[in-house]
Amino acid sequence: MSNDDSSQLVVTLPDNSQRQFASGTTVLDVAYAIGPGLGDDTVAGLVDGELVDKATPLDADARVEIVTRDSDAYLRVLRHSTAHVFAQALQRLHPEARLAIGPPTDDGFYYDVANVDLDTDDLADIEAEMADIVEEDLPIERVLVDREEALARYADNPFKREILEQEAAGESPVSFYEQGEFADLCKGPHVSSTGDIGAFELRNISAAYWRGDETNETLTRVSGTAFESEAELRAFLDRQAEAERRDHRRLGRELDLFSIPEHSPGCAHFHPRGMAVRRVLEETIREQNARLGYEEVWTPTLNRAELWKPSGHYDAFREAGEMFVWEQDGEEYGLKPMNCANHAYLYGRTQHSYRDLPIRFAEFGEIYRNEQSGELSGLFRLRGLTQDDGHAFVRRDQLEDEVRRVLRSIEALYDQFGLDVLYKLETKGDDAVGSDEVWELATTSLRDALDAEGLSYDVADGEAAFYGPKIGLDARDALGREWTIGTVQVDFNIPERLDLTYVGEDNEAHRPVMVHRALLGSLDRFMGVLIEHCAGKFPPWLAPEQVRILPVSDDYLDYARRVADELGEFRVDVETREWTVGRKIRQAHDDRIPYMLVVGDREATSETVSVRDWDERERSDVAVAAFREELRKECAEKRGRPACAEREY
């Protein structure tokens, strides 16, 4: 549809149909134009993906989606409104409290506050006041306030004044939302009344830095959640309780897998048991790399900063404050924030023919990112981490096939862990370098590879790295949560910037294309995801201790050790503590051991074992050699749960 009149604009609806409206038409006007019922049900709108108040006027062509109570986005509106109800309740009980910011989140909402001393004992009183505000059914109304009046309202609130001077710089009037005696600077949107708030709960109190910057003032953050119904809230709280039960930080301590001590902030120590799991992960990746034709390399963590400047990584990481750098003897040095430049060096140190390509390097590369202290979170967010990184240098005619081979490998790999893979095509962003032509070519190659493999995917416009588009890999775990893990990226720019070449069939110099690939991403982060996915019960092939032999008394320790020797190819331990056999079994269950082999007089006499697994299935009189063969098959097939105890021997 053409748009010749500057006073007219085009609205594209979710079904891709288009309508023409006068400039200044509001989201609510669009809804009523579609139908009076939709207009009556409108709560808010999504304009080019941004959630806005239904009174928001449109001043340019836009994609518009009407938000009603049935929309996915409605929960975000409800939670934002609940954050305001919390703030109103807090100021009724503690008028001295200064409000900072209170947005909705994926799981609920939070509000950062200052000038008030709160602890968990205060939450019940605040919740009771919130319930009263909901019962009062106060209309929530958007009002426009002159800028000078807004600044005067916040004469003693530096946080709101900063928002006015930065996010709302130059705006006049500015948007407030009022409910009863309470008003808050806010862009919205919100539900129409406090009575629309359903079920809610305040969850916890924590500390937070203003703007997430540890150099700023420390605030008190009160977090909560809200749903339309009590049943939805209870279901959510049950899921949260299960997530807490699976928390990898707690299980890491209980199962003696890893620790992150104060002397190594953001850097994990892997204990022998955790390292056993990590080694199996590494060998699994090495198997995939061998199939894909990658050669393993190692590159140093410490480099001169000059290494990263031509590629653009130095500027990108320094601007984000994520790079550890220092000066020494007139030189600037840094800790490696990624492996790309080192692998590009390995490629560029010799001349290559078109016949040599693809050339593929893989590395378990140790990298460092200067993450803020407040953002560190167990294995999920570290300063020091190890990537299962890989880079392939290919000709253009090899590009799509290379990406497809990696995608097939990813499907097989994640299936071994019982994780569903979700794909996201991330396209060119505002910080992109290089020509539109190479970006289009790179993006098309990724899209064609996904389509050719029959994989469904979402498109995330503008989220690519500065040097090339990528396929982001998310893993969906046992609780339905999605975790960003690996990536596949196509890069024409770094070979250009670093002057990487190969000699073509025409004896001329040509640029290779660089395919960046991380199958599991950070091994550390993936281990955290895996611990929570399995609730610490690793499948037998991956478990740090696959078999524990439990002698019923010390009289059978020698036989237990002989059995352990016969199972020496596996990770086996003998329980030597002077406990009852019942206590030994309970401890093995607590330790999430896949197999317990109980041995006593009967087993020692017949040279057998009694097999018991973590699901409490049992089988007696099993020959050690037969058990060994079944466990060997189970590990080779990478089965997800122990099955030897239900086999016929």
Side-chain angles (χ1 to χ4, degrees):
M1 182 182 296
S2 63
N3 185 11
D4 298 324
D5 189 340
S6 60
S7 66
Q8 297 290 302
L9 53 83
V10 175
V11 168
T12 303
L13 299 173
D15 63 359
N16 289 322
S17 64
Q18 294 183 325
R19 296 197 181 197
Q20 200 166 48
F21 292 92
S23 180
T25 297
T26 67
V27 169
L28 185 60
D29 293 334
V30 172
Y32 272 113
I34 297 171
L38 182 62
D40 291 343
D41 292 340
T42 298
V43 175
L46 284 165
V47 177
D48 291 331
E50 181 183 357
L51 194 57
V52 300
D53 189 278
K54 61 186 177 183
T56 299
L58 305 175
D59 56 10
D61 295 352
R63 179 174 288 272
V64 176
E65 180 181 344
I66 304 302
V67 176
T68 69
R69 293 178 74 105
D70 295 328
S71 303
D72 291 340
Y74 176 72
L75 194 55
R76 199 164 184 86
V77 180
L78 180 74
R79 288 170 172 171
H80 195 176
S81 301
T82 310
H84 277 220
V85 171
F86 159 78
Q88 183 177 13
L90 177 69
Q91 292 203 310
R92 283 185 177 182
L93 297 172
H94 300 277
E96 74 280 8
R98 286 200 187 102
L99 304 178
I101 189 170
T105 66
D106 290 341
D107 289 332
F109 63 89
Y110 68 81
Y111 218 118
D112 289 345
V113 299
N115 203 43
V116 62
D117 186 18
L118 297 175
D119 59 38
T120 52
D121 292 338
D122 296 309
L123 296 185
D125 289 341
I126 299 172
E127 282 186 341
E129 190 65 39
M130 291 173 68
D132 288 344
I133 293 169
V134 171
E135 183 68 24
E136 291 169 26
D137 195 17
L138 302 172
I140 301 176
E141 298 176 330
R142 180 173 184 258
V143 295
L144 298 178
V145 176
D146 178 79
R147 183 174 190 79
E148 292 306 314
E149 180 186 340
L151 286 166
R153 288 189 184 189
Y154 290 126
D156 63 348
N157 188 323
F159 312 110
K160 298 294 187 182
R161 288 182 70 92
E162 186 174 313
I163 293 171
L164 282 167
E165 291 162 1
Q166 293 188 13
E167 285 87 344
E171 290 184 23
S172 187
V174 292
S175 171
F176 276 70
Y177 281 81
E178 296 181 347
Q179 52 200 56
E181 82 287 356
F182 176 78
D184 201 1
L185 174 69
C186 184
K187 291 176 64 177
H190 290 281
V191 296
S192 61
S193 167
T194 62
D196 291 336
I197 305 295
F200 59 85
E201 180 173 294
L202 299 181
R203 303 276 289 144
N204 57 62
I205 295 177
S206 60
Y209 297 114
W210 171 237
R211 303 284 196 185
D213 186 340
E214 57 191 1
T215 64
N216 288 338
E217 182 176 346
T218 301
L219 306 175
T220 298
R221 174 169 294 179
V222 180
S223 301
T225 193
F227 289 87
E228 286 193 77
S229 70
E230 189 68 30
E232 290 172 307
L233 174 61
R234 296 265 67 86
F236 168 81
L237 295 176
D238 288 344
R239 290 194 301 273
Q240 290 297 104
E242 178 62 18
E244 290 172 10
R245 187 180 73 83
R246 292 171 179 253
D247 190 308
H248 74 283
R249 293 163 295 189
R250 181 177 64 81
L251 290 175
R253 291 190 301 271
E254 291 180 4
L255 301 179
D256 196 24
L257 300 173
F258 71 92
S259 57
I260 305 176
E262 290 185 4
H263 64 257
S264 300
C267 299
H269 289 55
F270 283 88
H271 307 172
R273 295 174 68 83
M275 200 62 198
V277 178
R278 186 173 171 128
R279 286 300 184 209
V280 178
L281 292 178
E282 289 178 358
E283 289 309 312
T284 302
I285 295 299
R286 285 190 172 99
E287 291 171 6
Q288 295 289 339
N289 286 339
R291 294 190 188 101
L292 290 169
Y294 281 81
E295 296 180 286
E296 188 165 342
V297 299
W298 183 87
T299 61
T301 303
L302 172 64
N303 297 271
R304 283 193 170 96
E306 285 298 323
L307 174 70
W308 302 297
K309 290 182 178 179
S311 66
H313 285 93
Y314 177 88
D315 290 337
F317 282 104
R318 286 284 278 165
E319 184 177 341
E322 292 181 352
M323 195 169 176
F324 289 100
V325 293
W326 67 93
E327 286 192 12
Q328 183 174 328
D329 300 329
E331 292 273 7
E332 190 175 24
Y333 292 85
L335 298 181
K336 180 170 63 174
M338 58 351 137
N339 303 294
C340 319
N342 295 81
H343 289 192
Y345 156 76
L346 291 176
Y347 175 88
R349 59 186 292 273
T350 57
Q351 188 177 73
H352 301 287
S353 163
Y354 70 96
R355 293 188 179 93
D356 300 329
L357 274 58
I359 290 173
R360 306 179 181 96
F361 300 131
E363 177 178 11
F364 295 106
E366 187 176 285
I367 64 174
Y368 286 85
R369 305 280 176 85
N370 189 16
E371 303 286 358
Q372 293 185 9
S373 299
E375 295 182 350
L376 299 175
S377 178
L379 297 179
F380 290 157
R381 195 73 174 263
L382 292 166
R383 288 185 173 129
L385 54 139
T386 301
Q387 285 186 327
D388 73 312
D389 218 347
H391 295 91
F393 300 86
V394 304
R395 305 189 308 264
R396 289 194 181 191
D397 62 293
Q398 297 170 323
L399 180 55
E400 183 180 330
D401 181 63
E402 184 69 20
V403 175
R404 291 183 64 181
R405 292 172 75 249
V406 173
L407 291 175
R408 288 195 292 271
S409 179
I410 287 165
E411 284 283 300
L413 179 64
Y414 280 70
D415 187 58
Q416 294 175 0
F417 300 107
L419 292 164
D420 295 327
V421 191
L422 308 173
Y423 297 92
K424 180 171 61 176
L425 178 60
E426 301 181 16
T427 64
K428 183 178 181 181
D430 294 337
D431 61 347
V433 298
S435 69
D436 290 341
E437 177 189 1
V438 297
W439 272 89
E440 180 60 30
L441 185 58
T443 305
T444 299
S445 68
L446 292 176
R447 182 180 288 110
D448 289 349
L450 287 163
D451 292 339
E453 292 299 313
L455 300 172
S456 59
Y457 58 93
D458 293 326
V459 177
D461 291 325
E463 292 190 14
F466 69 90
Y467 51 85
K470 71 176 180 178
I471 299 171
L473 309 176
D474 287 358
R476 180 184 288 135
D477 71 8
L479 297 185
R481 299 171 301 179
E482 296 174 8
W483 305 93
T484 298
I485 304 292
T487 183
V488 185
Q489 298 170 276
V490 170
D491 178 8
F492 285 81
N493 287 298
I494 288 180
E496 179 72 29
R497 288 181 162 215
L498 300 184
D499 195 26
L500 303 181
T501 63
Y502 67 89
V503 178
E505 196 169 3
D506 57 2
N507 288 321
E508 298 291 330
H510 297 267
R511 296 274 183 234
V513 184
M514 197 170 175
V515 178
H516 307 244
R517 170 241 72 172
L519 300 179
L520 299 182
S522 158
L523 286 181
D524 316 81
R525 177 177 170 82
F526 185 80
M527 271 196 66
V529 171
L530 192 60
I531 291 167
E532 298 200 3
H533 174 61
C534 300
K537 295 173 74 170
F538 296 103
W541 67 274
L542 189 56
E545 184 181 344
Q546 296 167 301
V547 180
R548 184 174 294 177
I549 303 173
L550 312 179
V552 298
S553 73
D554 286 355
D555 294 339
Y556 304 101
L557 272 173
D558 287 344
Y559 179 63
R561 291 183 176 119
R562 291 207 311 274
V563 172
D565 289 342
E566 290 190 55
L567 300 174
E569 67 194 82
F570 304 106
R571 295 180 291 281
V572 181
D573 196 11
V574 176
E575 177 60 81
T576 60
R577 286 171 287 197
E578 294 182 356
W579 290 348
T580 65
V581 70
R583 185 177 178 186
K584 291 176 181 179
I585 290 172
R586 287 194 299 275
Q587 186 61 53
H589 276 295
D590 289 346
D591 292 341
R592 276 78 163 176
I593 309 301
Y595 288 110
M596 294 144 270
L597 303 186
V598 180
V599 296
D601 184 65
R602 174 177 171 176
E603 289 79 17
T605 301
S606 61
E607 297 193 341
T608 61
V609 292
S610 291
V611 181
R612 182 184 180 99
D613 67 22
W614 66 32
D615 290 324
E616 301 186 6
R617 292 170 300 189
E618 299 179 75
R619 187 168 293 279
S620 303
D621 303 321
V622 177
V624 177
F627 173 78
R628 181 179 63 232
E629 186 60 30
E630 284 300 319
L631 184 54
R632 187 180 291 159
K633 292 178 183 176
E634 192 168 287
C635 292
E637 296 171 7
K638 292 184 166 60
R639 298 175 195 163
R641 56 187 292 273
C644 291
E646 56 186 14
R647 300 286 181 197
E648 293 291 342
Y649 291 92

